[in-house]
Amino acid sequence: MLELKSRVESASPHGLVGLLYEELIRSLDLVLHSVRKGYNLAGNSHVAKAVSIIVALEGSIDFDAGGDLAPTLARVYAACRKELNEAAKKNDEAKLTEVRDAISDIYYAWQALQPG
């Protein structure tokens, strides 16, 4: 936890979004682990954390500077949030994996945009 605090304190705005992606992927991995172990996801704290991070990412979109990408990204986040909630209600591993993969793809694209 101390390492994360240090990373947050020293991160650029771009880096902070990257940290959100990392924490989101970690939470989704824990959700998937719970499903694979046969746990019911109702009230699962990792699902709640993942949803909260997606909401934070949605709120971080700069619609003025984001051009055509901003509304598209907002739709993707909204769809991921919806799919995550629905998949968690049904303990649907395949849908959870789809959400995790979509977020992972966005994260890798975000990393590639890292300012020099």
Side-chain angles (χ1 to χ4, degrees), residues 21-36 46-47 49-51 53-54 80 84 96-104:
Y21 283 124
E22 289 173 20
E23 288 300 308
L24 176 54
I25 291 167
R26 186 172 296 118
S27 292
L28 292 170
D29 285 343
L30 291 168
V31 170
L32 282 164
H33 178 75
S34 295
V35 167
R36 291 175 184 139
H46 302 300
V47 173
K49 182 177 180 181
V51 169
I53 295 171
I54 293 172
C80 284
L84 174 57
L96 291 167
T97 300
E98 287 178 21
V99 171
R100 195 245 184 242
D101 291 347
I103 294 296
S104 183

Side-chain angles (χ1 to χ4, degrees), residues 74-85:
R75 285 190 299 275
V76 170
Y77 287 148
C80 284
R81 185 171 29 84
K82 180 182 176 208
E83 288 294 315
L84 174 57
N85 281 319

Side-chain angles (χ1 to χ4, degrees), residues 60-116:
S60 74
I61 297 172
D62 184 343
F63 286 92
D64 294 328
D68 294 339
L69 182 60
T72 301
L73 193 54
R75 285 190 299 275
V76 170
Y77 287 148
C80 284
R81 185 171 29 84
K82 180 182 176 208
E83 288 294 315
L84 174 57
N85 281 319
E86 289 178 9
K89 287 178 188 172
K90 298 176 184 175
N91 277 30
D92 187 336
E93 182 179 349
K95 284 283 186 197
L96 291 167
T97 300
E98 287 178 21
V99 171
R100 195 245 184 242
D101 291 347
I103 294 296
S104 183
D105 289 346
I106 296 168
Y107 172 55
Y108 292 127
W110 184 258
Q111 284 181 306
L113 296 173
Q114 184 141 358

